[in-house]
Amino acid sequence: MQAKAKRTFLSQCRLKQPMLRYIKHLYSVPVFSSSRFNLAGSRALIVIYKQGLSTRVMQNIAANSQHPATVFLNESEISRHVCNIRWFNQTSEIKRCGHGTLAAANCLLAHFSFCPLYFISNDKERFKMKRDKGRVQLQLAAINLRKVDEENSLKGVFSHSIKATYSTAHKSGYTVVLFKHIVDLKQLEVDFTRLANMHNNAVIALQIHSIDKNNACAHFRYFAPQFGVNEDSATGSAVSVIAPLIFRLHGLNEATLIQQSSKGALLNYTFNSNQVVVS
């Protein structure tokens, strides 16, 4: 996988040789896929680098990658219990990235037989990793939302009428949208230009399909044109918002989430003591 990732990456980019000399390993790692449900999930490009790779070079590398997230780990830190992590898309640095973090953990476990207990973001947020039966799970602090009136800032953005909105913050946070009627989210139309111009948060469109305790299921899509991504294909960090909201509305501690992006993704979680564990 490493050699294939290197060949693919080098063939599609035009980085100068001085930039490439800092790269020690490259891996292309899938997460949140499901053959059962025919969901492709997403991939992250994991870049393990030697000391000296600047932010500018990281962004340049990510800009030349076809992966929705490019993850950077310092070679000197990957065998420690706490490891710094940074994520970039093609245009900017990502503040928090669940799928990239889980991909990094799976990558290190598969190729180095070790996974840090924590990844630390550039904003000093801690992402705890849990081991369960040979696989890695991502533990996130739940982010609580409050019900808000966001009708004006989201007016005309979606092709369906909004029932309720919940937000974590006024700016640079998350907004969850519930619709008045049962919606096939695959058919949901979104005006990305209007969303980027009128709203300050990433937006999660959520449809709860089953509240049966033994078979709870919800669908969602994730939009963030304000942050350089019209729609994300697989979004692990969104579960830190979705899980506490589903618990608040229906008292459910776990559910299956299907992200209805073009490729589709399957995410499972449990929610306890204000912590969300995603796999």
Side-chain angles (χ1 to χ4, degrees):
M1 185 184 294
Q2 179 189 3
K4 182 179 179 181
K6 280 188 175 181
R7 289 195 301 270
T8 302
F9 176 73
L10 294 175
S11 66
Q12 71 188 19
C13 72
R14 297 179 179 178
L15 297 176
K16 296 179 180 179
Q17 191 60 36
M19 296 181 186
L20 296 177
R21 71 179 181 178
Y22 292 108
I23 298 174
K24 183 69 174 180
H25 302 285
L26 280 174
Y27 301 94
S28 179
V29 181
V31 290
F32 302 139
S33 61
S34 171
S35 57
R36 177 186 174 188
F37 294 101
N38 195 29
L39 302 173
S42 186
R43 283 184 172 269
L45 182 67
I46 311 301
V47 181
I48 300 175
Y49 65 93
K50 303 174 185 176
Q51 197 71 28
L53 201 64
S54 68
T55 298
R56 180 182 62 82
V57 174
M58 289 181 186
Q59 184 61 75
N60 200 341
I61 291 171
N64 285 276
S65 169
Q66 300 302 311
H67 294 69
T70 300
V71 184
F72 292 89
L73 305 173
N74 192 315
E75 182 187 21
S76 66
E77 298 178 354
I78 60 175
S79 60
R80 299 177 183 174
H81 290 300
V82 178
C83 177
N84 288 300
I85 188 168
R86 297 178 72 177
W87 320 274
F88 291 76
N89 60 32
Q90 280 75 16
T91 61
S92 57
E93 186 164 6
I94 304 170
K95 186 176 181 180
R96 64 199 311 260
C97 182
H99 106 263
T101 305
L102 195 55
N106 286 329
C107 175
L108 294 181
L109 188 61
H111 296 281
F112 299 91
S113 300
F114 180 83
C115 175
L117 294 177
Y118 293 94
F119 287 104
I120 309 294
S121 75
N122 217 30
D123 289 335
K124 306 306 178 185
E125 182 177 3
R126 282 177 166 250
F127 295 80
K128 185 176 181 179
M129 310 312 300
K130 297 186 68 177
R131 298 274 294 273
D132 179 48
K133 298 177 182 178
R135 62 176 181 165
V136 182
Q137 298 173 316
L138 171 62
Q139 181 173 312
L140 298 164
I143 303 176
N144 292 311
L145 306 98
R146 60 186 180 90
K147 192 172 184 179
V148 294
D149 182 8
E150 294 285 4
E151 183 66 28
N152 289 332
S153 65
L154 292 171
K155 188 175 182 179
V157 169
F158 299 109
S159 57
H160 291 76
S161 299
I162 295 173
K163 174 183 178 181
T165 54
Y166 300 81
S167 289
T168 62
H170 176 67
K171 185 177 182 181
S172 299
Y174 299 95
T175 296
V176 177
V177 173
L178 302 178
F179 297 100
K180 290 182 178 179
H181 306 288
I182 298 297
V183 176
D184 181 355
L185 290 184
K186 287 185 178 180
Q187 305 302 319
L188 182 68
E189 296 178 7
V190 185
D191 187 332
F192 292 111
T193 300
R194 181 180 288 270
L195 178 57
N197 291 335
M198 296 184 64
H199 198 71
N200 296 318
N201 288 342
V203 175
I204 300 166
L206 180 65
Q207 181 74 64
I208 301 170
H209 281 268
S210 172
I211 58 172
D212 177 74
K213 186 176 181 180
N214 297 317
N215 194 33
C217 179
H219 295 176
F220 76 101
R221 290 174 67 183
Y222 180 94
F223 312 108
Q226 312 90 323
F227 308 109
V229 180
N230 279 350
E231 180 170 4
D232 201 357
S233 57
T235 320
S237 59
V239 187
S240 63
V241 176
I242 294 172
L245 180 60
I246 291 179
F247 179 78
R248 172 179 171 180
L249 296 176
H250 301 290
L252 296 170
N253 290 94
E254 57 185 272
T256 296
L257 297 179
I258 296 179
Q259 189 161 347
Q260 292 195 303
S261 58
S262 58
K263 293 183 178 180
L266 178 69
L267 302 87
N268 292 290
Y269 76 85
T270 57
F271 171 64
N272 286 293
S273 303
N274 214 36
Q275 297 291 317
V276 182
V277 177
V278 185
S279 58

